[in-house]
Amino acid sequence: MVAAAVRADPADLPDGIDDSKRVAPARRDALDERLRASPGVDVGVAAIEPAEIDDPETDMNTLTVAAQARAVLDLLASTDSSSADSSSADPSIELPQPLRLLVDAGDVSEDRFGRRVREALEEALSRETSRDDSPSVSVTARHGADADSPLVGAASIVAKVERDRRIEAIDDRFPEYDGVGSGYPSDPTTAAFLEAYVDDTGDVPDCARRSWRTCERLLAAHEQSGLEEF
């Protein structure tokens, strides 16, 4: 899971920003490059790795909240690092006051999702900043924000391009297979890769979520096959 945060004057954003699902791949790549290169645009990215997703003590809503908060934290840390005196010995984040966020709601309840992102970010900022006072954070969560807000749309494009890059890197790790596909369980190429990998090794690769129903089914089938052969 990949999340991104973008901070900018909307006037500084390139034309063509939209929900990443409605932008062609080549166009997404071009927009991502322009966003990252623009001096008036700050970008942060965070990823939730498969092992964390598979943790039985958590759930997808909580991880989505964490990803959003970590992306904002990465943006603030990157901005502070790039603007700070390189001789400074204090790497802590200096938080602009107040910090107002608009996020795409990852929960049926917009209010609940916004509150949880705010609480997660406040907790993280309390640990990371050098401020003595409590950080002032305001979060508005809205369904469809990536389609109707250029800033949230820009963040969705950055997140999608980053995820695609990570999938390409995973694909490069397994040249002996016919591609890993998009990484989504509904993708036949991804399912075929996982099935072939389990057949060859008896386990799923470390890039896969073991808690996926697809992976659970393949592992159970492989184990049953081994028992029948025995």
Side-chain angles (χ1 to χ4, degrees):
M1 179 194 302
V2 178
V6 169
R7 178 171 60 183
D9 182 330
D12 291 333
L13 297 175
D15 294 334
I17 295 291
D18 200 348
D19 176 359
S20 62
K21 296 185 291 295
R22 305 198 304 209
V23 181
R27 180 60 177 161
R28 284 198 302 260
D29 290 343
L31 288 169
D32 173 77
E33 185 175 351
R34 290 186 62 185
L35 287 165
R36 291 178 179 273
S38 173
V41 179
D42 298 321
V43 173
V45 175
I48 305 292
E49 301 297 341
E52 191 171 1
I53 295 173
D54 288 337
D55 184 347
E57 299 299 319
T58 190
D59 59 78
M60 289 303 296
N61 277 352
T62 298
L63 293 173
T64 302
V65 167
Q68 296 273 6
R70 292 176 194 177
V72 174
L73 199 65
D74 183 65
L75 182 153
L76 294 171
S78 299
T79 304
D80 188 64
S81 175
S82 63
S83 61
D85 182 346
S86 61
S87 64
S88 172
D90 183 5
S92 60
I93 298 169
E94 292 299 330
L95 176 66
Q97 294 277 29
L99 181 62
R100 297 189 179 93
L101 308 177
L102 172 63
V103 299
D104 186 45
D107 188 342
V108 293
S109 170
E110 295 173 326
D111 289 343
R112 178 171 58 200
F113 189 77
R115 172 181 54 79
R116 293 188 69 192
V117 171
R118 175 180 57 78
E119 290 172 350
L121 187 55
E122 286 177 340
E123 180 180 352
L125 287 169
S126 294
R127 294 193 306 265
E128 298 291 336
T129 64
S130 58
R131 303 181 66 94
D132 294 328
D133 56 329
S134 299
S136 174
V137 179
S138 171
V139 179
T140 299
R142 191 166 71 230
H143 293 131
D146 47 0
D148 59 40
S149 164
L151 283 170
V152 182
S156 77
I157 287 171
V158 171
K160 175 59 176 167
V161 171
E162 177 66 21
R163 185 189 182 279
D164 288 346
R165 289 194 186 110
R166 287 169 176 258
I167 292 296
E168 289 175 8
I170 290 171
D171 191 89
D172 289 342
R173 290 173 49 197
F174 302 100
E176 66 272 31
Y177 295 93
D178 295 327
V180 303
S182 65
Y184 295 114
S186 59
D187 185 340
T189 301
T190 298
F193 161 69
L194 290 171
E195 183 173 6
Y197 190 91
V198 171
D199 284 344
D200 290 343
T201 68
D203 201 357
V204 296
D206 60 4
C207 59
R209 304 176 188 176
R210 301 181 70 86
S211 53
W212 265 355
R213 198 168 299 173
T214 301
C215 291
E216 291 177 341
R217 175 180 57 79
L218 289 171
L219 289 170
H222 182 81
E223 182 178 359
Q224 182 61 38
S225 175
L227 290 172
E228 290 174 354
E229 291 176 4
F230 179 78

